[in-house]
Amino acid sequence: SRRCALPARRGYSGGGAPRGVSLAVPLPGVPRAVFAAAGGRERFETRVTVLPNGLRVASQNKFGQFCTVGVLVNSGSRHEAKYLSGISHFLEKLAFSSTAQFGSKDEILLTLEKHGGICDCQASRDTIMYAVSADARGLDTVVNLLADVTLQPRLSDEEIEMTRMAIKFELEDLNMRPDPEPLLTEMIHAAAFRDNTVGLNRFCPVENTDKIDRGVLHSYLSSYFTPDRMVLAGVGIEHEQLVECARKYLLGVEPVWGSGQGRAVDSSVAQYTGGIIKVEKDMSDVSLGPTPIPELTHIMIGLESCSFLEDDFIPFAVLNMMMGGGGSFSAGGPGKGMFTRLYLNVLNRHHWMYNATSYHHSYEDTGLLCIHASADPKQVREMVEIITREFILMAGAVGEVELERAKTQLKSMLMMNLESRPVIFEDVGRQVLATNTRKLPHELCALISQVKPTDIKRVVTKMLHKKPAVAALGDLTDLPTYEHIQAALSSKDGRLPRLYRLFR
């Protein structure tokens, strides 16, 4: 017998809907949606409250289920002049270990896991930052945890010994990496600010790893981990709720090292010295494998710029974007800076250059604009000549199209970065820590738009009056002397023939 069946009828979202249901009327029992709306007044401005003990609480509301909360401390490697160098490096590795309430790092991670949270600690030259991202409903637990981690760490002998081993391994790895940028950054700071403030090493020197113990750490913490040097910052939470948690867990708390005010706080202002640091190193075997990176010599040349608190900070940021650059094998188009000067004038014209990148480091009292370049050791002399020429040409004419492109790219990068909640958190925390307030993104964009060619020329002219800072790594047989580099940079009128005479 032959079976016949009717095809099954399918329902589609576009048809077959029950009759009598209007799409213009809200469904019964469904909560009313609340949408973000742009108003004339900036709704998400940063709010700041100062507690009686001097702790600043800063927050910015943001739609979403998750929040990022953390404690930023005005402390870092620049403050270690009166202590053993490397304490900040130790504190970064010891962060989120056992505390008065939590017996181990595993306990902390399990507690955060209940709220979908992750934690991180970063130590820089001027700031130590403890941060947690978690569900906003667990704010009370998160602030309690942060208070315990910053003020009640156990710093057991076992944890310190494990940290000591981790730091030794990291230092070995730092010298074996194919990418020398972290090492060069340390060298250029040490050359620019010799033996003071931001010139002090961010990584713990090998000779200090066995000297740092709980007593040394407690002595440092008692001086720098005080409420008046801290900011509790949060993004994605209500300000009143964060202030309430801060009062509950960070007000009147006795730190594990005692409540006595430290007396060894270093408030030195950065002193720019200029100079050169050279490290002769065999770079021929840093990247072994089927396609090894060629042996390269790396040079970084820098000049003092300005503090991020000064008005000239914005023109310097635009100048850095205008110089741009990158690696010779960078992928991407104009959005990645293919029309910047170091691409057009250096990488596109000199095939043997592997890298030419501009960096701008800025701090509360100083700054450093530098260019990192890499090439074969036989091309070192010509590479240094080309980079010094680019510094001199900064003081020349700036085209309107070139300047507008740099300003647009800087604003674009600023706004794209601030789409990320952890980036907003860091921006809020750092600005409030330094200035007790925060400039909003649209204010910064307005300042960027106001930069003129005369502003660029003014800041460059001021910068070129300083002695250069030079860091050199690799085979330095053909490296010009520091005196030759300094003399070349003093040619502010841009007469290139003089450069050729100096380097040849």
Side-chain angles (χ1 to χ4, degrees):
S1 62
R2 186 174 166 187
R3 293 183 178 180
C4 295
L6 293 172
R9 186 171 182 178
R10 295 184 180 181
Y12 296 92
S13 60
R19 295 182 179 180
V21 177
S22 173
L23 298 180
V25 179
L27 294 174
V30 177
R32 185 178 178 182
V34 179
F35 298 97
R41 182 175 174 271
E42 180 68 43
R43 183 178 179 189
F44 302 112
E45 62 183 276
T46 303
R47 297 178 61 186
V48 181
T49 298
V50 183
L51 299 188
N53 62 353
L55 176 77
R56 285 156 287 180
V57 182
S59 73
Q60 178 169 327
N61 203 349
K62 184 176 176 64
F63 281 88
Q65 180 183 353
F66 281 79
C67 66
T68 300
V69 183
V71 175
L72 291 91
V73 189
N74 185 10
S75 160
S77 59
R78 69 167 296 163
H79 300 106
E80 295 171 1
K82 300 177 182 179
Y83 294 89
L84 286 171
S85 179
I87 292 177
S88 299
H89 195 183
F90 262 78
L91 291 175
E92 179 186 63
K93 299 297 179 188
L94 284 164
F96 295 99
S97 297
S98 63
T99 68
Q101 292 185 45
F102 301 93
S104 66
K105 178 172 283 190
D106 288 340
E107 270 191 52
I108 291 176
L109 296 178
L110 285 171
T111 302
L112 288 175
E113 189 178 319
K114 294 175 184 177
H115 302 284
I118 56 173
C119 60
D120 186 31
C121 178
Q122 295 180 10
S124 61
R125 288 185 152 75
D126 52 2
T127 310
I128 294 180
M129 179 174 63
Y130 301 83
V132 172
S133 288
D135 192 303
R137 291 172 291 185
L139 180 64
D140 191 83
T141 303
V142 167
V143 176
N144 179 28
L145 171 64
L146 285 167
D148 220 40
V149 165
T150 53
L151 298 177
Q152 303 287 335
R154 284 185 181 174
L155 303 179
S156 67
D157 292 338
E158 182 183 0
E159 289 169 344
I160 291 176
E161 187 58 36
M162 290 292 291
T163 298
R164 190 174 283 125
M165 293 171 61
I167 287 176
K168 288 180 179 179
F169 177 81
E170 185 178 351
L171 293 175
E172 289 180 11
D173 179 66
L174 193 66
N175 289 309
M176 296 169 60
R177 290 175 56 178
D179 174 24
E181 198 269 326
L183 198 57
L184 278 170
T185 300
E186 294 304 305
M187 292 168 62
I188 196 72
H189 278 83
F193 305 93
R194 191 172 291 272
D195 298 328
N196 76 91
T197 57
V198 293
L200 300 178
N201 204 324
R202 191 169 66 86
F203 299 104
C204 181
V206 177
E207 61 271 16
N208 287 354
T209 52
D210 293 325
K211 299 177 183 177
I212 295 176
D213 54 20
R214 188 191 297 109
V216 173
L217 294 172
H218 276 186
S219 175
Y220 180 87
L221 289 167
S222 66
S223 294
Y224 290 98
F225 276 51
T226 55
D228 58 301
R229 300 179 66 88
M230 294 182 178
V231 169
L232 174 66
V235 176
I237 37 82
E238 294 293 336
H239 184 73
E240 290 76 11
Q241 189 181 359
L242 184 62
V243 171
E244 182 183 345
C245 290
R247 291 183 183 278
K248 184 177 178 181
Y249 297 112
L250 288 163
L251 191 59
V253 177
E254 176 81 14
V256 69
W257 49 83
S259 58
Q261 181 71 25
R263 294 173 294 173
V265 173
D266 180 58
S267 56
S268 304
V269 176
Q271 302 296 317
Y272 181 83
T273 61
I276 185 169
I277 289 186
K278 299 187 289 185
V279 175
E280 289 272 0
K281 185 178 178 184
D282 181 10
M283 306 288 285
S284 59
D285 59 351
V286 294
S287 177
L288 302 176
T291 55
I293 296 175
E295 179 183 0
L296 300 174
T297 294
H298 304 273
I299 305 293
M300 193 175 276
I301 300 176
L303 291 165
E304 187 181 21
S305 58
C306 73
S307 156
F308 58 71
L309 299 177
E310 298 179 44
D311 292 338
D312 284 342
F313 171 69
I314 299 295
F316 268 115
V318 175
L319 172 65
N320 179 59
M321 189 61 65
M322 192 169 71
M323 298 305 296
S328 57
F329 296 105
S330 295
K336 293 195 69 177
M338 300 297 280
F339 286 101
T340 59
R341 286 193 179 186
L342 292 180
Y343 264 114
L344 294 176
N345 300 346
V346 179
L347 294 171
N348 289 358
R349 296 184 181 182
H350 306 282
H351 65 89
W352 44 268
M353 291 277 281
Y354 280 80
N355 183 46
T357 311
S358 175
Y359 296 95
H360 186 217
H361 307 277
S362 194
Y363 306 95
E364 195 170 342
D365 51 359
T366 189
L368 188 66
L369 182 78
C370 46
I371 296 177
H372 168 209
S374 306
D376 186 274
K378 296 176 183 178
Q379 305 281 1
V380 169
R381 185 171 293 272
E382 190 174 356
M383 174 173 65
V384 172
E385 175 189 317
I386 290 167
I387 297 305
T388 52
R389 181 176 60 193
E390 287 304 313
F391 269 108
I392 292 169
L393 291 176
M394 288 181 192
V398 178
E400 284 292 339
V401 174
E402 177 186 38
L403 182 61
E404 287 303 315
R405 182 184 287 119
K407 291 195 292 185
T408 302
Q409 190 172 351
L410 180 59
K411 287 186 282 187
S412 171
M413 184 178 295
L414 171 69
M415 300 307 291
M416 284 192 293
N417 287 339
L418 289 175
E419 287 290 316
S420 167
R421 189 182 60 253
V423 174
I424 300 174
F425 155 77
E426 185 173 352
D427 183 50
V428 169
R430 284 184 178 276
Q431 286 202 50
V432 172
L433 191 65
T435 66
N436 297 319
T437 186
R438 179 183 180 234
K439 283 185 178 176
L440 296 173
H442 71 267
E443 296 178 85
L444 293 172
C445 287
L447 292 172
I448 293 170
S449 298
Q450 293 170 11
V451 175
K452 301 175 183 176
T454 53
D455 297 322
I456 301 294
K457 188 165 186 175
R458 185 188 72 255
V459 298
V460 171
T461 302
K462 182 172 69 172
M463 181 176 66
L464 287 172
H465 279 90
K466 303 292 181 70
K467 291 172 59 179
V470 182
L473 178 68
D475 182 350
L476 308 179
T477 307
D478 293 332
L479 178 70
T481 65
Y482 178 75
E483 289 73 23
H484 281 166
I485 298 173
Q486 185 177 0
L489 284 171
S490 68
S491 177
K492 304 177 190 63
D493 55 359
R495 292 179 183 172
L496 301 186
R498 181 181 175 191
L499 288 178
Y500 285 97
R501 289 199 301 273
L502 283 168
F503 286 107
R504 299 182 192 278

